[in-house]
Structures are given as C-alpha cells and as structure tokens.
Amino acid sequence: MLLSTAIFLFISSPLTTGFHHSVRPISKTQSKVTYSLSPLLSPPSPQFSPLFVDPPINDSANQEATDGSADFRQLVGLKGASTTADKSIWAIRLQLTKPVTWIPLVWGVMCGAAASGNYHWIWNPFDPNDRDVLLGFSDAFKGLTAMILAGPFLTGFTQTINDWYDRDIDAINEPYRPIPSGAISKGEVVFQIWFLLLGGLGISYGLDGWAGHEFPTVLALSIFGSFISYIYSAPPLKLKQNGWAGNFALGASYISLPWWCGQAVFGTLDKPVYFVLPVLYSIAGLGIAIVNDFKSIEGDRQMGLNSLPVAFGVEKASYICAGCVTFTQLGVAAYLQLIGEHTYALILLGLLLPQVFFQATLLIPDPVKNDVKYQGASQPFLVFGILATALAIGHHEF
C-alpha cells in the first residue's frame, strides 16, 4: 500500500520542486524589492510588508491556471496557483508547507525501509514466511509515521522557514505565496516554524523508542537535517547562495536523510555502505538541482546567488548536471556488480539508458527551454533506480 501510493505521487512531482526559488530578472518597469536578511525573531521590516512594495509586484510571475486546478495548485504549492485571498488560515498554513515537496522525502523513507531488509508486508504474496499480519500492520504504521515525520513536519518546517527568508524574493517571483501576499502574519509564521520543528523532533524521538534504539538515531538525524535546512535558507551561511554547497545540501536533504531515517527505523546504520550509497545518490540529486537553476540565471546574478549556471555558464553547467547524474549511477551499478547483485546492477543500467538519451536530446541541447520536459521524462527512471539499489542492499547478505 505504501509502495504503490508513493510511486504514484513521486512520479507526479519533480525531485527538487520547492526548496530553490528561481529568481527571474527584474523588468525595467519593476522596482527592486530590498532583500531583507533580518533574523527570524526580529521586528517586521518595511521591506517585507506588501504595503511597501511600489509599484505593484510582478503579477506576471504567476499565470493562474485556467483548467480549474488553480485552487489545488495554490494549496500544494505549484505554479499556476489561484491568486484569490479568501482562504482559511488552515489552507494557508498547508500551502506554506508546500505539500508537493513532501513526496521525495516519503520516497526516500521507503527506500531506506527497503534497504534495511527488515520491512514486513501485511501479506507478502511472494514469500510465505512474510505473512505475519500483525507485524505487517505494525511496520506499515511505523513506516507511515516516519513518512509523516519526513514530509509534513520536517519538510514543512524547511519550506516554511525557507519562505520566511525568501519573502522579498517571493514578492518578485511568487507574490501569491502566503507571506509576501500578507495572507499570514509574522507571528503565525513563527508559531508554525516552531510547531513543526518541535513536533517533528518529538515524533522522531518516539520513533526511536518504537524501534528500540539505545541511541536516538532518528532524533539525531532530525536535528542534523533541521540544522541543514536552517543554514540552507538563513544568513549568514545561506548555503543556497553557493551552487555547489546549496545543491548538494538539497540533494542530501531529499535523498540521504530520509533514506537513513527509514533504514534506522527498520534496521541499523552499522556499515559504511549504508552511508556511502545515499551520499553518492545525493551527488545525483545535486545534478537534478542544477536543472532548476537554468531559467533563473539572470535573476540569480542580480540577487548575488552564485548558482552553477552563473558560475560556469549554461553549457558547462548542463554537462556538470549530466555528469553528476550519470557517473553516480554508473558507480553504484559497478558496486552492485562487484558484490554479486548482478540482476540489480543490470536493472540499474537499464534505467540509466533512457536518462542518457534524454540528456542528449533535451538537457544538453537547450537546458533552459527543456528543463521541465527533461525532469518529467528522465526523473522517474532515476528514482526507480534508487529504489532498485535500496532493494539490492536489503536483499544482500553482508
């Protein structure tokens, strides 16, 4: 049940939707909105308040969808969102967490559970020894709890704090977002940040107890991940200003941390391979994150964000992106072959071939024009490759 739901949701969403805010160039008719770096608990600044944006902010940054999906898009945090302001505070709070960005973390938890080799089905049709219904229900609820931790709570925390520190950029790019539109107050945002963070840490500690951990592994991972989320968005470090550090932090947040969480809940993290493989896939995640930077290259220059397309140019950055994705998976396939998991190595290579095809036909020729097409066409093969790797690790006797 968890597997089929996660597969459906993940394919419908790009891996890196949400963390990175594209910064388009400011037109000649727009005033620059000062980018305030005031601390989280500082008094509200006039730069933040929509009342001080003059002339009106970039209304063309969001073209409302005309297919009847605008309200749904607003709720889950997608482009084409409705610009109407008559939403309940609960709908606004949900929108602020960008539910569409929970999906990759849910997938990562599932991959970690698979890598543990210790997740039990409610009724496994392929293994007569894995049909303990009560144990299967227990593991299903444990996995669901880990997904709630990784998705609504800690990703919701990350998105909320990211929106807070990006409020002035959003006033240019995504004025319909809750903070720059004035739909939610500063106090309500601060409460949501602390509620999601502390609630997530509480759930992680409960999962440690449920899993019988002597050392609170899930709590430690949650604290570390929350710290990375903070320094990714907040000054003075603000990792997102640096292409290498920001994109790798993004890849690790989407792949390594939820994988480790899922594996810790159902198994152990007592071998180097359990750390090395997710980190390698985070390099592939770095490559995917670069795709989101192409369309915003001029705006990033204006705002001082040193993305890889800004640093190296579009052409070189497209090759860096393709190289990160391709060579990571080649290395993982070689490792699986080395340890005797030949079937999984062949599956991974088979899933890599269409990715290389789409790199050659979409990414390399014009990454700015084809970024969405490339992600939609190539990414499902990448994420199924991650799952295949996790299954291989869970299947292997070390």
Side-chain angles (χ1 to χ4, degrees), residues 113-236:
S116 74
N118 197 39
Y119 180 85
H120 300 90
W121 293 36
I122 296 174
W123 183 267
N124 190 340
F126 307 107
D127 184 359
N129 296 318
D130 186 16
R131 294 177 181 175
D132 186 328
V133 175
L134 291 180
L135 181 59
F137 271 114
S138 175
D139 278 5
F141 283 116
K142 193 185 297 183
L144 180 62
T145 303
M147 292 175 180
I148 291 171
L149 164 67
F153 276 87
L154 293 187
T155 306
F157 158 77
T158 298
Q159 294 298 342
T160 305
I161 199 169
N162 187 66
D163 267 26
W164 174 258
Y165 284 106
D166 273 2
R167 57 194 184 272
D168 295 317
I169 291 178
D170 283 346
I172 299 170
N173 255 6
E174 299 179 277
Y176 60 89
R177 295 292 300 158
I179 296 175
S181 70
I184 189 169
S185 70
K186 175 192 172 183
E188 289 169 327
V189 174
V190 172
F191 173 81
Q192 177 158 320
I193 288 171
W194 284 109
F195 175 81
L196 293 174
L197 174 61
L198 297 178
L201 296 182
I203 292 172
S204 65
Y205 186 73
L207 280 170
D208 279 316
W210 197 348
H213 294 161
E214 293 183 8
F215 176 81
T217 308
V218 182
L219 176 61
L221 289 169
S222 299
I223 292 172
F224 177 71
S226 301
F227 173 72
I228 295 297
S229 298
Y230 178 79
I231 65 174
Y232 177 83
S233 299

Side-chain angles (χ1 to χ4, degrees), residues 15 248 251 255 279-289 321 324-326 328-329 382 386:
L15 177 64
F248 184 75
I255 298 173
V279 169
L280 282 177
Y281 270 116
S282 295
I283 297 174
L286 181 155
I288 293 297
C321 170
C324 289
V325 173
T326 301
T328 293
Q329 293 176 87
L382 171 64
I386 298 173

Side-chain angles (χ1 to χ4, degrees), residues 49-91:
S49 171
L51 299 176
F52 287 85
V53 179
D54 181 33
I57 54 183
N58 184 12
D59 292 327
S60 64
N62 176 63
Q63 297 294 332
E64 185 172 327
T66 58
D67 59 1
S69 65
D71 287 341
F72 174 76
R73 289 172 178 269
Q74 183 186 44
L75 197 62
V76 299
L78 291 172
K79 292 289 187 181
S82 168
T83 56
T84 55
D86 55 338
K87 301 290 181 183
S88 75
I89 186 60
W90 297 109

Side-chain angles (χ1 to χ4, degrees), residues 174-384:
E174 299 179 277
Y176 60 89
R177 295 292 300 158
I179 296 175
S181 70
I184 189 169
S185 70
K186 175 192 172 183
E188 289 169 327
V189 174
V190 172
F191 173 81
Q192 177 158 320
I193 288 171
W194 284 109
F195 175 81
L196 293 174
L197 174 61
L198 297 178
L201 296 182
I203 292 172
S204 65
Y205 186 73
L207 280 170
D208 279 316
W210 197 348
H213 294 161
E214 293 183 8
F215 176 81
T217 308
V218 182
L219 176 61
L221 289 169
S222 299
I223 292 172
F224 177 71
S226 301
F227 173 72
I228 295 297
S229 298
Y230 178 79
I231 65 174
Y232 177 83
S233 299
L237 294 180
K238 202 170 181 70
L239 297 180
K240 67 193 301 179
Q241 290 182 324
N242 180 283
W244 290 111
N247 285 341
F248 184 75
L250 190 60
S253 297
Y254 271 112
I255 298 173
S256 294
L257 288 171
W259 177 317
W260 292 331
C261 173
Q263 186 157 357
V265 167
F266 291 101
T268 59
L269 294 169
D270 58 352
K271 294 179 176 61
V273 65
Y274 298 150
F275 294 93
V276 173
L277 288 181
V279 169
L280 282 177
Y281 270 116
S282 295
I283 297 174
L286 181 155
I288 293 297
I290 296 171
V291 179
N292 289 339
D293 294 334
F294 287 116
K295 279 190 175 178
S296 58
I297 185 169
E298 294 303 324
D300 284 352
R301 284 196 185 105
Q302 289 187 28
M303 302 302 292
L305 301 178
N306 193 33
S307 67
L308 294 181
V310 169
F312 293 96
V314 170
E315 183 179 4
K316 288 184 179 179
S318 68
Y319 281 102
I320 293 172
C321 170
C324 289
V325 173
T326 301
F327 288 110
T328 293
Q329 293 176 87
L330 284 174
V332 173
Y335 172 76
L336 295 181
Q337 179 71 19
L338 183 66
I339 64 174
E341 295 293 343
H342 308 303
T343 301
Y344 286 105
L346 288 174
I347 290 172
L348 191 55
L349 288 175
L351 291 168
L352 178 58
L353 290 176
Q355 296 176 64
V356 173
F357 172 77
F358 291 125
Q359 289 167 3
T361 57
L362 294 174
L363 178 66
I364 302 299
D366 192 342
V368 177
K369 178 182 177 181
N370 297 325
D371 61 339
V372 175
K373 288 182 181 178
Y374 169 71
Q375 286 190 345
S378 179
Q379 233 165 249
F381 297 100
L382 171 64
V383 300
F384 275 107

